[in-house]
Amino acid sequence: MKRIYDLVFEDHFKNNNQIAFIVGPRQVGKTTTSCSLKKEIYYLNWDNLDDRELILKGPKAISESVNLALLRAHPPMLVFDEIHKYSKWQVFLKGFYDTYKDKCNIAVTGSSSMDTYRRGGDSLMGRYFTYRMHPITLRETKTSKLYPEDSDRELFLPIKTDTLTLSNLLEFGGFPEPYIKGTRAFYNKWIRLRLDQLFKDDIRDLSRVQEIDQLYILGRLLARQSGQLMSYTS
């Protein structure tokens, strides 16, 4: 599914050479979108041990591995995923950007926690623009324009939609995978996994909440109350 963010990031790399920080909730489509922007993509994930080893060798090793010295008609795209888990990620990106910004486009993706870590010390000031990806909205299903004519007025115009699109958004939410699948069985499995990741990974990493299990149960109850989780089973 082509999303409006494809156009946002294409516009970014056409008019800027800053790093694109792509943040947002898990499974909102950050990696899928960033890896579809160009034909020549090099994807490095900190959670992949081989990629991590290469990142730890430094910017020069990465440049040599993707042959940035080669003259190209169009610069390649380098995508760094979950790089904020590296304790020296800001220093690494600063050095890489300052050395190779004219030879490649750079995108950095990660969960919303990356934005939290970034605010802790902004040594990358002036070297990036931040973009936050959101789940699919009703308006996004009905437009393919980044800058529509008379855009201020268009924001407030009523949207013509069909019953199926609206009911799918209401039932399965706007995260791409469950929305596209469109089945209750898949959605129930997906939302349980999402709750596990949110409460057992993201919140625990960012805070000192002691009663994680109780917080997790609260999240399940809220999801069930809102109609997003039909069956409450472990």
Side-chain angles (χ1 to χ4, degrees):
M1 176 182 179
K2 188 173 180 62
R3 300 197 58 189
I4 191 67
Y5 295 101
D6 295 35
L7 302 178
V8 172
F9 301 139
E10 288 172 7
D11 182 76
H12 167 87
F13 290 113
K14 179 181 178 181
N15 297 300
N16 309 283
N17 71 346
Q18 276 87 354
I19 302 170
F21 271 25
I22 305 173
V23 301
R26 289 177 181 270
Q27 298 178 310
V28 79
K30 301 182 295 293
T31 300
T32 300
T33 297
S34 60
C35 288
S36 65
L37 295 175
K38 292 198 172 188
K39 291 183 178 179
E40 190 175 2
I41 299 280
Y42 297 99
Y43 174 74
L44 297 173
N45 188 338
W46 178 257
D47 291 334
N48 181 299
L49 293 180
D50 292 332
D51 292 346
R52 185 183 304 182
E53 183 179 353
L54 179 60
I55 291 171
L56 289 173
K57 289 180 181 179
K60 183 178 180 181
I62 295 174
S63 171
E64 292 174 349
S65 71
V66 302
N67 202 8
L68 287 184
L70 180 68
L71 291 176
R72 296 172 167 90
H74 302 285
M77 170 78 70
L78 267 74
V79 179
F80 295 99
D81 195 6
E82 301 294 339
I83 190 69
H84 63 281
K85 295 178 180 177
Y86 178 27
S87 61
K88 299 179 181 178
W89 70 280
Q90 291 184 332
V91 175
F92 166 81
L93 286 177
K94 181 176 182 292
F96 190 92
Y97 173 81
D98 288 348
T99 305
Y100 300 109
K101 63 182 177 182
D102 296 325
K103 297 182 180 296
C104 64
N105 297 135
I106 306 170
V108 178
T109 65
S111 62
S112 297
S113 59
M114 184 177 75
D115 204 28
T116 302
Y117 293 129
R118 176 183 61 80
R119 295 172 190 275
D122 225 342
S123 61
L124 291 167
M125 181 64 70
R127 295 175 173 85
Y128 68 91
F129 292 137
T130 301
Y131 299 90
R132 182 173 298 278
M133 287 190 67
H134 298 276
I136 299 166
T137 64
L138 188 59
R139 184 172 293 276
E140 187 179 357
T141 66
K142 298 302 174 185
T143 182
S144 59
K145 299 179 181 179
L146 178 56
Y147 301 115
E149 295 180 4
D150 199 11
S151 56
D152 290 339
R153 178 174 177 269
E154 186 165 328
L155 286 174
F156 299 98
L157 290 178
I159 301 173
K160 294 182 180 179
T161 187
D162 57 276
T163 303
L164 180 60
T165 299
L166 179 60
S167 62
N168 280 348
L169 278 173
L170 291 174
E171 185 173 2
F172 305 116
F175 285 88
E177 193 171 14
Y179 173 76
I180 292 171
K181 294 274 188 183
T183 67
R184 174 54 63 176
F186 177 85
Y187 180 78
N188 280 349
K189 295 175 183 177
W190 181 88
I191 195 65
R192 290 190 189 100
L193 177 60
R194 177 170 175 76
L195 288 171
D196 282 341
Q197 292 174 329
L198 174 62
F199 290 105
K200 295 182 179 179
D201 293 332
D202 292 349
I203 291 180
R204 183 167 51 193
D205 289 345
L206 285 172
S207 66
R208 295 184 179 181
V209 177
Q210 300 298 317
E211 302 297 340
I212 271 294
D213 290 337
Q214 294 182 25
L215 190 60
Y216 171 70
I217 291 173
L218 174 62
R220 291 288 298 268
L221 289 171
L222 290 173
R224 184 188 181 197
Q225 187 68 27
S226 66
Q228 292 183 328
L229 189 62
M230 295 296 289
S231 59
Y232 181 51
T233 57
S234 301

